[in-house]
Amino acid sequence: MSRLPDPEFWAGKRVLLTGHTGFKGSWAGVWLKEMGAHVTGYALPPASRPSLHDLLHPNEAPGGQFGDIRDGEALATIARKSEPEIVLHMAAQPLVRESYAEPAETFDVNVMGTVRLLEAARATPSVKAVLVVTTDKVYRNDESGRHFRESDTLGGHDPYSGSKAACELAVATWRSAYLKERGIRVATARGGNVIGGGDFSDDRLVPDVVRAALSGTRLNIRSPLATRPWQHVLDCLNGYFLFAEALFKGESDVDALNFGPSPSEQAIPVHDVANAVQAAMGLDPEWDDASALEQPREMRTLGLDPALAGETLAWRPRLAQSQAIEWTARWYDGWRRGEAARQLTLDQIEAFTKGL
């Protein structure tokens, strides 16, 4: 079973978390604060209604501010004021289909936004480690079905994937040209398809299932036979936090790590995930196949090999894919029945760290 982040390490650490209003960023902020970290967030206002960020903070304003990741002056100001020791960069345009509609903006946010963030870190003496979150889609996917390793060629068929691959190159450039000589360790984290309670983004499978359930409408699935490396958000964040710890302590010299389910786990098709989430929410599994409709191309197969994360960090998924689906459905089912989102989130963090 995987190691867990060290609360004693994180207690009192000053962390700049970009993308703190997003799905993963919201979970990250809560977990870091539970470990005693001083978290400063920087992101655009939540893009969805409802949003996990708003559900988690109904009566209080979390630390940080709203702003565009491309605003270098604002980034420099918040970094200077908060004096972070660790920077976790999660802000991004994260949607494949939106990247087809807005390719230039996607590259601007994902590449130049990262460059602005790296420049802010370079100008902040307190920064010791920077972890830039990219995606499992940074690899040139030949649809062979193999599991990609960190040494595989980067690329991207769609603008989102291409922008994240370009982001990886920007990080490598800033590492060698500027940050290494300043003693700032920087790396990238490539996570698989992350699921968990509180994701309300457009054009994502689990949120689409939940929206259909809440509205009483039929679910449409674009690519029911596609497979993805499904993992729970807490497994993914566990990897990010362990990687950031190792970078800060100088215990890791790798530039990138994959985080995803073990290749030994059978790949779960999209339609099976939809069926399982519906069933776990007490609904009759039903959906319509929308694959015949004209739509932008998305990869049918995708898999990661996270062996290097196991070797360097002793990280492994603590939840099997079936458990990740069950935990996700349990969160949404509790929320739609009136349970508080914050308590649901805290309960799952506690179960993940203490109950497994």
Side-chain angles (χ1 to χ4, degrees):
M1 188 171 288
S2 178
R3 286 175 53 215
L4 288 165
D6 180 5
E8 292 186 4
F9 169 85
W10 289 100
K13 283 289 185 299
R14 299 185 304 277
V15 180
L16 176 59
L17 174 64
T18 72
H20 71 291
T21 60
F23 162 55
K24 279 198 293 186
S26 294
W27 277 89
V30 169
W31 192 356
L32 287 169
K33 289 177 183 178
E34 283 297 296
M35 291 190 290
H38 300 302
V39 181
T40 300
Y42 183 84
L44 293 173
S48 66
R49 291 290 184 273
S51 76
L52 182 57
H53 175 269
D54 290 342
L55 292 172
L56 292 175
H57 309 285
N59 300 313
E60 59 178 294
Q65 70 179 55
F66 294 149
D68 195 312
I69 196 67
R70 294 167 291 181
D71 188 338
E73 184 176 344
L75 273 173
T77 298
I78 198 167
R80 185 173 60 251
K81 289 182 177 179
S82 62
E83 297 183 313
E85 299 162 274
I86 297 172
V87 177
L88 296 176
H89 179 40
M90 297 188 185
Q93 192 299 95
L95 302 174
V96 171
R97 286 167 66 85
E98 185 170 334
S99 79
Y100 276 107
E102 299 290 346
E105 182 174 357
T106 297
F107 268 78
D108 196 16
V109 171
N110 292 348
V111 182
M112 292 311 300
T114 299
V115 167
R116 300 300 184 207
L117 183 279
L118 294 171
E119 282 289 270
R122 180 161 76 104
T124 306
S126 60
V127 174
K128 299 295 184 292
V130 180
L131 185 63
V132 176
V133 173
T134 59
T135 176
D136 54 356
K137 299 175 180 65
V138 297
Y139 298 106
R140 184 180 297 169
N141 193 341
D142 58 4
E143 296 277 37
S144 66
R146 67 190 182 89
H147 292 79
F148 294 104
R149 305 202 69 173
E150 291 84 351
S151 57
D152 285 324
T153 303
L154 303 182
H157 170 81
D158 57 85
Y160 169 70
S161 303
S163 72
K164 283 297 195 175
C167 172
E168 293 267 355
L169 296 177
V171 171
T173 299
W174 258 253
R175 179 192 299 115
S176 60
Y178 305 113
L179 301 180
K180 187 175 182 179
E181 66 183 25
R182 291 285 307 275
I184 300 174
R185 297 179 178 87
V186 59
T188 59
R190 304 164 183 172
N193 275 52
V194 176
I195 58 176
D199 188 359
F200 296 99
S201 303
D202 292 333
D203 290 325
R204 283 186 182 160
L205 177 63
V206 174
D208 286 347
V209 172
V210 174
R211 275 188 287 270
L214 294 176
S215 63
T217 58
R218 294 272 300 183
L219 171 67
N220 291 318
I221 300 182
R222 298 189 306 272
S223 303
L225 298 179
T227 59
R228 294 290 184 265
W230 310 102
Q231 66 177 326
H232 194 271
V233 62
L234 290 173
D235 261 324
C236 192
L237 292 178
N238 186 34
Y240 296 170
F241 296 163
L242 289 173
F243 200 3
E245 283 183 32
L247 291 171
F248 184 91
K249 295 176 181 178
E251 295 176 350
S252 174
D253 58 0
V254 298
D255 297 335
L257 285 175
N258 291 337
F259 298 100
S262 169
S264 63
E265 269 204 271
Q266 184 175 355
I268 301 180
V270 164
H271 66 81
D272 282 351
V273 175
N275 290 345
V277 172
Q278 289 175 318
M281 293 179 66
L283 306 172
D284 292 330
E286 56 181 12
W287 46 270
D288 293 327
D289 185 347
S291 59
L293 300 177
E294 184 176 350
Q295 56 191 322
R297 180 187 173 192
E298 296 185 61
M299 297 296 103
R300 291 180 61 84
T301 62
L302 184 59
L304 292 178
D305 185 342
L308 187 58
E311 295 167 10
T312 60
L313 302 177
W315 177 91
R316 292 171 184 80
R318 293 170 70 82
L319 297 174
Q321 291 182 86
S322 59
Q323 291 175 295
I325 295 167
E326 195 276 329
W327 279 42
T328 298
R330 190 193 313 161
W331 191 102
Y332 283 110
D333 198 41
W335 173 70
R336 76 184 182 117
R337 295 175 186 276
E339 296 182 46
R342 184 174 184 83
Q343 193 58 52
L344 288 165
T345 303
L346 290 172
D347 287 347
Q348 291 199 338
I349 291 172
E350 182 176 11
F352 185 85
T353 56
K354 299 178 182 177
L356 293 178

